[in-house]
Amino acid sequence: MLAEKTFPVAISARHIHLSEADVEALFGTGATLTKDFDLSQPGQFAAKERVSIEGPKGVIHNVRVLGPVRPATQLEVSKTDALKLGVNPPLRQSGDVANSAGITIKNGERELAIEQGVIIAQAHIHMTPADAQEFGVQNNEVVSVEVESERPVTFRGIVVRVSEQFSLEMHIDTDEANAGFIQQQAKGKIIKSS
Amino acid sequence: MLAEKTFPVAISARHIHLSEADVEALFGTGATLTKDFDLSQPGQFAAKERVSIEGPKGVIHNVRVLGPVRPATQLEVSKTDALKLGVNPPLRQSGDVANSAGITIKNGERELAIEQGVIIAQAHIHMTPADAQEFGVQNNEVVSVEVESERPVTFRGIVVRVSEQFSLEMHIDTDEANAGFIQQQAKGKIIKSS
């Protein structure tokens, strides 16, 4: 069954969520995040702060910090990034960082080694209960998603996440975007797993 | 319809095929390619020679040269590479380089600017006529391919290429591999486009 209703696909570049303590560790005692611009999900914002991340095989600079602060620090990278850094993060839903990979986070002379918190974010679709009803899907349902492009791919094993707090949008990472020649705000379609 | 027969999936990292003239331009008059090891397709080999490629936004070193020499120089990169280099190569079948992107190729002090030759290789399946009969497909047929993994994707618009000279194998690039958490010699399955 092919749902006719579509949703925007947003590409998440590598980014980091920091705990309050880790913001202070990296930016100084009493430091807080400075909003640069709002993100599509209500309350979330891109901060002006950037960090470097360093693994056994490489370093990536200018990694965007997202706000607000979270209970636990979480770095979301692509598989391509992970290979460059030399780390092996698990595929996880956001917030599920137990026993994930570690990394070193740097801001100039300040440095912080985390034992866990590095994940590859599992692609998912945010939607409201009203959207879910229209799509005929439920919270945590696993679906496949088709995106049309010059190099079309179907993503399978995509989790639907339903909340009044969400705005309708699928989130994929840069590897998924580049594999499918997908640009920001491409349209996705749900294919129900049979 | 899901064919039961599977085939190995090979991941092609960025690489370059050089014309005889361009081998000499980059490695000196009279230079030839030195075989490092054989590739899976009969007659093809990885050469010991490496080059750097430089676009308006970045450079990538240690790009493997493949042999034997070809009538026209062709550089195959991923979309991720293309974004890093700042070039915009078209999605093409190997050999189809007319009006593709240009780039600068370097080997130490030697440098060569090509006006065309940079492509993103369209994923394809090499097979023999006997394989094609078993799969129930024909040369140039477009199919979808499923690869199982922890992050499963289906590649659509995949071209079947049939020749007695081929060995059964699908070729994808590193973006497609990383999006689908695919490792060398994963197994693919053809899903006939209906």
Side-chain angles (χ1 to χ4, degrees):
Chain A
M1 192 193 87
L2 201 63
E4 286 309 304
K5 185 176 158 80
T6 64
F7 44 83
V9 178
I11 304 156
S12 294
R14 69 182 78 94
H15 63 270
I16 192 165
H17 304 275
L18 293 172
S19 68
E20 202 171 342
D22 288 352
V23 168
E24 294 203 31
L26 287 164
F27 296 97
T29 307
T32 55
L33 296 178
T34 315
K35 185 188 291 190
D36 189 3
F37 54 87
D38 286 313
L39 298 174
S40 57
Q41 296 306 311
Q44 304 296 304
F45 63 89
K48 289 187 174 164
E49 286 76 15
R50 309 274 182 137
V51 296
S52 294
I53 51 175
E54 189 173 316
K57 287 181 61 180
V59 59
I60 297 177
H61 299 290
N62 275 315
V63 176
R64 175 78 82 166
V65 179
L66 301 192
V69 292
R70 292 201 177 183
T73 289
Q74 173 177 301
L75 171 66
E76 300 177 39
V77 295
S78 69
K79 184 74 179 176
T80 298
D81 292 338
L83 291 167
K84 179 176 179 181
L85 294 164
V87 295
N88 189 22
L91 184 70
R92 293 280 180 84
Q93 284 290 311
S94 185
D96 178 12
V97 296
N99 302 310
S100 57
I103 199 106
T104 299
I105 310 166
K106 293 185 174 179
N107 173 40
E109 294 300 303
R110 293 194 171 90
E111 183 174 325
L112 173 70
I114 58 172
E115 293 295 314
Q116 61 179 36
V118 187
I119 65 169
I120 295 175
Q122 194 172 10
H124 53 270
I125 314 170
H126 289 282
M127 60 176 73
T128 65
D131 292 323
Q133 194 162 15
E134 268 198 83
F135 282 113
V137 296
Q138 301 196 321
N139 191 34
N140 291 324
E141 187 166 337
V142 174
V143 298
S144 294
V145 171
E146 276 188 0
V147 186
E148 295 306 326
S149 77
E150 192 191 352
R151 184 160 80 166
V153 297
T154 301
F155 301 108
R156 293 179 284 142
I158 304 304
V159 179
V160 172
R161 296 174 65 188
V162 181
S163 164
E164 289 290 2
Q165 307 309 312
F166 290 155
S167 167
L168 179 63
E169 193 171 69
M170 180 176 184
H171 289 184
I172 62 174
D173 73 11
T174 47
D175 283 341
E176 294 168 313
N178 288 339
F181 282 16
I182 295 167
Q183 298 192 306
Q184 290 289 8
Q185 303 304 306
K187 296 295 180 189
K189 259 197 281 192
I190 290 178
I191 303 172
K192 282 223 187 187
S193 300
S194 55
Chain B
M1 194 193 86
L2 200 62
E4 286 309 304
K5 185 176 158 81
T6 64
F7 45 83
V9 178
I11 303 157
S12 295
R14 68 182 79 94
H15 62 270
I16 192 165
H17 304 274
L18 293 171
S19 67
E20 201 170 343
D22 289 351
V23 169
E24 295 203 30
L26 288 164
F27 296 96
T29 307
T32 55
L33 297 177
T34 315
K35 186 188 290 191
D36 189 3
F37 54 87
D38 285 313
L39 298 174
S40 58
Q41 296 306 310
Q44 304 296 304
F45 63 88
K48 289 186 174 165
E49 285 75 14
R50 309 272 183 141
V51 296
S52 294
I53 51 175
E54 189 174 317
K57 286 182 61 181
V59 60
I60 298 176
H61 299 290
N62 276 314
V63 176
R64 174 80 81 166
V65 179
L66 301 192
V69 293
R70 292 201 176 182
T73 288
Q74 174 177 302
L75 171 66
E76 300 177 39
V77 296
S78 69
K79 184 74 180 177
T80 298
D81 292 338
L83 291 167
K84 179 177 179 181
L85 295 165
V87 295
N88 189 22
L91 183 70
R92 293 280 180 84
Q93 285 289 311
S94 185
D96 179 12
V97 296
N99 302 309
S100 57
I103 198 106
T104 299
I105 310 166
K106 292 185 174 179
N107 173 39
E109 295 300 302
R110 292 194 172 88
E111 183 174 326
L112 174 69
I114 58 172
E115 293 295 315
Q116 62 178 37
V118 187
I119 65 169
I120 295 174
Q122 194 171 10
H124 53 270
I125 314 168
H126 289 283
M127 59 176 74
T128 65
D131 292 323
Q133 193 161 16
E134 268 199 84
F135 282 113
V137 296
Q138 301 197 319
N139 190 35
N140 291 324
E141 187 166 339
V142 174
V143 297
S144 294
V145 171
E146 276 189 359
V147 187
E148 295 306 324
S149 78
E150 191 191 353
R151 184 159 80 168
V153 298
T154 302
F155 301 108
R156 293 179 283 143
I158 304 304
V159 178
V160 173
R161 296 173 63 188
V162 181
S163 163
E164 289 290 2
Q165 306 309 311
F166 290 155
S167 167
L168 180 63
E169 194 171 67
M170 180 176 184
H171 289 184
I172 62 174
D173 73 13
T174 47
D175 283 339
E176 293 167 314
N178 289 338
F181 282 16
I182 296 167
Q183 298 191 306
Q184 291 289 8
Q185 303 304 307
K187 296 293 179 190
K189 259 196 282 193
I190 289 178
I191 303 172
K192 283 224 187 185
S193 300
S194 56

